Amino acid sequence: MAFPPHFLEEIKARVGLSDLVGRRTKLTKKGREYSGLCPFHNEKSPSFTVNEEKGFYHCFGCGAHGDHVEFVKQTEGVSFPEAIERLADLAGLQMPAQDPHEKQQQQKSATLHEVMDLAAKWFSAQLSSQAGTAARAYLERRKVSDQAVSQFGIGFAPSARTALKEALLARGVTENLMMEAGLIIQPDDGRPSYDRFRDRLMFPIGDRQGRVIAFGGRALGDAPAKYLNSPDTPLFHKGHILYNMASARRKAFDAGNVIVAEGYMDVIALAEAGFEQAVAPLGTAVTEDQLRILWKMAPEPIMCLDGDAAGWRAAQRASERALPLLMPGKSLRFALLPEGVDPDDLIKSEGPRAMADILNKALPLSELLWKKELEGHAVKTPEQKAAFERSLMSLCDQMEDQTVRDYYIKHFKDRLWRWSREQSFQQKGSYSAGKKPERFGRFANQKNKFGKNQVAETPIAKSTKMGRREELLLITVVNHPEILESYFDEFAAIQLFSADLDRLHNAIIEIATSESDLDYDRMKHHLTKRSLFSVVEKFSKDTSGSLDWFAEKEAALEDATQGWLHLVARYERVKLEQDLKVAQKNLEQDVTRENLDRLKLAQKALQEAEGNEADLDGFGVASGRNTGF
């Protein structure tokens, strides 16, 4: 059977070619392509490449070449329909039912594309005509360049009731085709049909190949609706398409990100300022299908929203829509503009650099969710705080991916604990006049000296024997509390299974959040008050002649810090190695795309952690030692 083109395009949009090929051979990303050993012939050095952007693979050794369908046919020995069926299953799509009029429908789709192309060219010509004077003046006021007008195919629909209809009739297009393309409207009372778009600036909307499938029109005069989009047609379903999608998809590969603006003019302004990877939904909140399209372009699309109440609501709706779809490595970020400002305004008034600063400071999804829930809750009483925590946990319940959900629960619980402590100290007025408030907040904002290699937020499994290393992670900090001034977040993220060590760890965090200028004597005093210094003595040993000497209070702070950072890096490595084993086991038991993604992320994290232990050059010199670590 023949398959509708839009169905084949949807399969390719949902199933990444590199993911598909990666099920058969290990691929490594190099620039804009992936490379690996060819799955079609035996070779020792890679000659096989996958171009995700262009949608094909090629082997320079044996000449194998093709797309998604060809790869399944060749590797699984199936026919074309069977290959489509297997790809549809991977994409989560139902196979289209056989239709005796299918060929006729495909021919009609091809004809509709021709009609839309004719309409786009006619609108473009009208912008240059005498009738388009006011439209050109509007574009000039908005500082839209001639290059942008040409690049985005901007046109003009005259105010005459049937101008487009008559122009297309003269070119042999029937009223039925115009109706099916959404270009004209047929009144129910039998009156003659008329143009849908009149006295509007016209923005062609393209599909994944860039073919015009719909239009958006901005009113230039008085109109009930400022913006008007084409209705759903055989070519166009607004929840499945993004404005500027075809062009932005190519640019996103180069930029490493994709920007989601609110409207046509924002996308055009961003593109003119150098941000050509910008797209926009079509008058609605971002849909699930649009999110999947965005994640094909970049792992964390940036939602660039107007700085007003409507922009904040749009951010909230996008965050809620994304929750069930989150996967490891797939999320959203939110660039919230100043109040009353949109991207076009900001770029025109302050330039591209100001826009880049906003994008670079985009909030992660977790931060936006926290702000969203905090905004809607009073949090003074224990009951109100409990309600706030429940609302955060209810967000986690909506996340279908177990790994993502677990990390979010841990993140929110950690943040709730820190936030509650901060609130408690503020309410009690426990700070002296000369002491800075919000001590914990100061620690939290310290520059992270680990970069990407922070201590993992999930505990290492009980079966992992950290032994002396766990004890030293705490003993070093007890003897040298100054370490916390720079590395509090790394220390707080450590998870311990020994009950004694865990109590000691929590106590040190509590002391550090409420006390400043800590040294050994003050730390000992506070731990003794909590009857916990005996735990320190229990785990402290005479290590003057061993490799643990840096943990002693006599060691120089510089050496203690270096030794402690080395332990933290090794702690992280153990956790990453465990994550990799779990991911490998999950993939062996259940070969799914999600499990494959988890394995890739675990492998990447472990590779990035290679060689990240603390630099131990000169270690011990500050303490008067020449011993290596």
Side-chain angles (χ1 to χ4, degrees):
M1 64 178 288
F3 296 95
H6 68 83
F7 178 72
L8 300 179
E9 290 167 13
E10 187 66 24
I11 285 178
K12 292 179 180 181
R14 293 194 182 195
V15 179
L17 182 57
S18 60
D19 293 333
L20 181 66
V21 176
R23 294 158 64 94
R24 294 280 181 173
T25 185
K26 181 180 179 180
L27 296 176
T28 302
K29 190 170 186 180
K30 293 185 177 180
R32 296 171 65 174
E33 295 185 337
Y34 296 83
S35 66
L37 297 176
C38 179
F40 300 106
H41 79 288
N42 293 324
E43 59 178 3
K44 294 183 179 179
S45 58
S47 62
F48 184 81
T49 63
V50 177
N51 190 312
E52 185 76 74
E53 179 183 353
K54 296 180 180 179
F56 69 80
Y57 61 85
H58 181 79
C59 179
F60 293 94
C62 68
H65 183 93
D67 59 4
H68 295 68
V69 178
E70 190 63 25
F71 186 80
V72 174
K73 286 173 60 181
Q74 294 299 321
T75 57
E76 300 188 25
V78 296
S79 64
F80 177 81
E82 289 173 319
I84 294 297
E85 186 173 356
R86 297 187 186 194
L87 286 168
D89 184 58
L90 284 175
L93 295 172
Q94 287 188 345
M95 292 286 287
Q98 279 193 314
D99 185 348
H101 304 294
E102 191 173 310
K103 186 174 181 179
Q104 181 181 352
Q105 292 298 322
Q106 290 181 27
Q107 292 173 341
K108 182 180 290 186
S109 292
T111 304
L112 287 175
H113 280 298
E114 294 172 2
V115 172
M116 298 303 286
D117 186 58
L118 283 173
K121 290 176 179 176
W122 187 80
F123 286 136
S124 180
Q126 298 311 299
L127 181 63
S128 303
S129 70
Q130 181 66 31
T133 301
R136 294 196 301 274
Y138 172 82
L139 291 171
E140 187 174 344
R141 288 196 303 274
R142 296 294 296 265
K143 299 181 180 179
V144 178
S145 68
D146 291 342
Q147 180 181 347
V149 170
S150 174
Q151 177 183 343
F152 288 91
I154 300 173
F156 172 66
S159 57
R161 187 175 176 84
T162 58
L164 173 64
K165 172 184 168 182
E166 292 170 6
L168 293 181
L169 284 172
R171 290 165 173 78
V173 180
T174 66
E175 284 194 47
N176 285 340
L177 276 176
M178 289 185 236
M179 192 85 65
E180 200 158 3
L183 296 172
I184 63 174
I185 296 173
Q186 178 66 62
D188 293 334
D189 59 9
R191 286 179 298 158
S193 59
Y194 58 90
D195 293 351
R196 179 179 297 276
F197 300 100
R198 302 187 305 281
D199 195 22
R200 290 180 181 269
L201 197 65
M202 299 299 292
F203 301 90
I205 299 168
D207 61 11
R208 292 181 178 88
Q209 284 76 44
R211 298 172 298 184
V212 178
I213 57 173
F215 293 96
R218 188 200 188 280
L220 295 175
D222 294 331
K226 180 179 178 182
Y227 282 97
L228 178 67
N229 289 330
S230 293
D232 280 0
T233 70
L235 300 181
F236 174 62
H237 301 280
K238 63 183 178 182
H240 301 169
I241 295 293
L242 292 159
Y243 179 63
N244 195 40
M245 181 171 64
S247 176
R249 185 181 180 185
R250 294 189 293 270
K251 301 298 182 181
F253 275 95
D254 296 327
N257 63 62
V258 61
I259 303 165
V260 185
E262 289 196 52
Y264 308 114
M265 294 302 296
D266 291 331
V267 168
I268 293 168
L270 284 164
E272 291 214 83
F275 306 99
E276 297 182 272
Q277 70 277 25
V279 297
L282 302 171
T284 61
V286 176
T287 67
E288 293 181 1
D289 282 335
Q290 288 170 337
L291 283 171
R292 292 188 180 98
I293 293 170
L294 290 168
W295 281 325
K296 290 291 183 184
M297 298 184 188
E300 292 189 349
I302 301 172
M303 310 297 293
C304 184
L305 304 168
D306 295 355
D308 55 17
W312 177 239
R313 287 194 300 271
Q316 292 178 323
R317 288 195 298 270
S319 67
E320 292 166 357
R321 185 64 57 84
L323 291 182
L325 307 176
L326 296 177
M327 296 180 292
K330 304 291 186 184
S331 188
L332 296 175
R333 289 192 288 153
F334 295 83
L336 302 178
L337 295 166
E339 186 172 356
V341 176
D342 61 26
D344 191 18
D345 297 331
L346 183 67
I347 291 168
K348 297 293 192 296
S349 62
E350 300 185 37
R353 180 169 294 182
M355 189 72 243
D357 288 342
I358 292 288
L359 295 172
N360 290 335
K361 296 174 182 176
L363 299 176
L365 175 61
S366 59
E367 180 67 19
L368 183 120
L369 292 173
W370 175 275
K371 289 179 178 291
K372 168 179 168 290
E373 295 305 314
L374 187 60
E375 182 183 67
H377 286 86
V379 285
K380 295 182 179 180
T381 68
E383 295 83 2
Q384 291 170 345
K385 292 179 180 179
F388 176 43
E389 179 175 354
R390 178 173 292 180
S391 69
L392 291 172
M393 293 303 108
S394 70
L395 294 178
C396 298
D397 290 341
Q398 297 175 48
M399 301 171 188
E400 295 182 1
D401 185 276
Q402 181 68 45
T403 304
V404 173
R405 182 165 64 249
D406 290 346
Y407 271 97
Y408 261 92
I409 290 172
K410 177 66 170 59
H411 171 80
F412 283 142
K413 283 187 176 293
D414 286 348
R415 184 158 184 179
L416 280 165
W417 186 89
R418 298 180 185 185
W419 175 79
S420 181
R421 293 294 302 172
E422 181 182 325
Q423 296 296 309
S424 176
F425 292 136
Q426 289 178 348
Q427 291 171 8
K428 291 178 180 178
S430 60
Y431 293 98
S432 61
K435 197 176 293 184
K436 291 184 179 181
E438 299 184 17
R439 174 170 170 74
F440 196 95
R442 179 167 65 87
F443 275 129
N445 290 326
Q446 287 284 343
K447 182 178 180 181
N448 186 350
K449 295 179 174 59
F450 271 13
K452 293 182 179 179
N453 300 307
Q454 301 179 45
V455 177
E457 292 187 353
T458 52
I460 294 175
K462 294 182 181 181
S463 59
T464 303
K465 296 182 179 179
M466 295 293 288
R468 183 66 172 154
R469 195 179 306 161
E470 285 191 339
E471 298 168 6
L472 289 173
L473 283 168
L474 271 61
I475 293 169
T476 308
V477 170
V478 171
N479 289 333
H480 301 276
E482 299 88 347
I483 291 174
L484 297 176
E485 291 290 340
S486 298
Y487 298 102
F488 184 90
D489 286 346
E490 287 79 5
F491 179 79
I494 295 170
Q495 298 292 308
L496 305 166
F497 281 104
S498 164
D500 286 341
L501 288 177
D502 189 50
R503 286 196 299 272
L504 180 59
H505 180 242
N506 291 335
I508 294 172
I509 292 173
E510 182 181 355
I511 292 166
T513 57
S514 58
E515 299 293 333
S516 60
D517 302 322
L518 281 170
D519 57 17
Y520 168 76
D521 291 329
R522 296 188 66 184
M523 178 64 80
K524 178 179 178 180
H525 168 73
H526 288 292
L527 290 174
T528 302
K529 284 175 60 177
R530 292 165 170 78
S531 301
L532 283 171
F533 195 72
S534 59
V535 176
V536 178
E537 294 175 322
K538 172 184 174 183
F539 290 113
S540 295
K541 300 173 182 176
D542 182 7
T543 56
S544 58
S546 75
L547 295 179
D548 299 346
W549 60 266
F550 67 89
E552 294 186 330
K553 58 181 179 294
E554 290 80 11
L557 176 61
E558 177 184 343
D559 290 330
T561 302
Q562 279 188 284
W564 188 82
L565 289 176
H566 188 85
L567 283 177
V568 171
R570 294 179 68 185
Y571 177 96
E572 168 69 357
R573 285 286 303 280
V574 171
K575 190 270 172 190
L576 292 175
E577 288 167 357
Q578 175 195 304
D579 284 350
L580 180 59
K581 290 179 181 177
V582 171
Q584 289 171 333
K585 184 176 180 181
N586 288 341
L587 186 62
E588 289 172 2
Q589 294 176 347
D590 187 11
V591 181
T592 65
R593 185 176 175 184
E594 289 76 16
N595 284 338
L596 180 61
D597 286 342
R598 292 191 188 100
L599 178 60
K600 289 181 178 179
L601 288 171
Q603 291 171 331
K604 181 180 179 183
L606 188 56
Q607 288 171 358
E608 291 177 347
E610 293 288 345
N612 282 327
E613 285 83 4
D615 182 5
L616 297 180
D617 282 349
F619 181 56
V621 173
S623 300
R625 298 173 64 95
N626 293 318
T627 306
F629 179 68

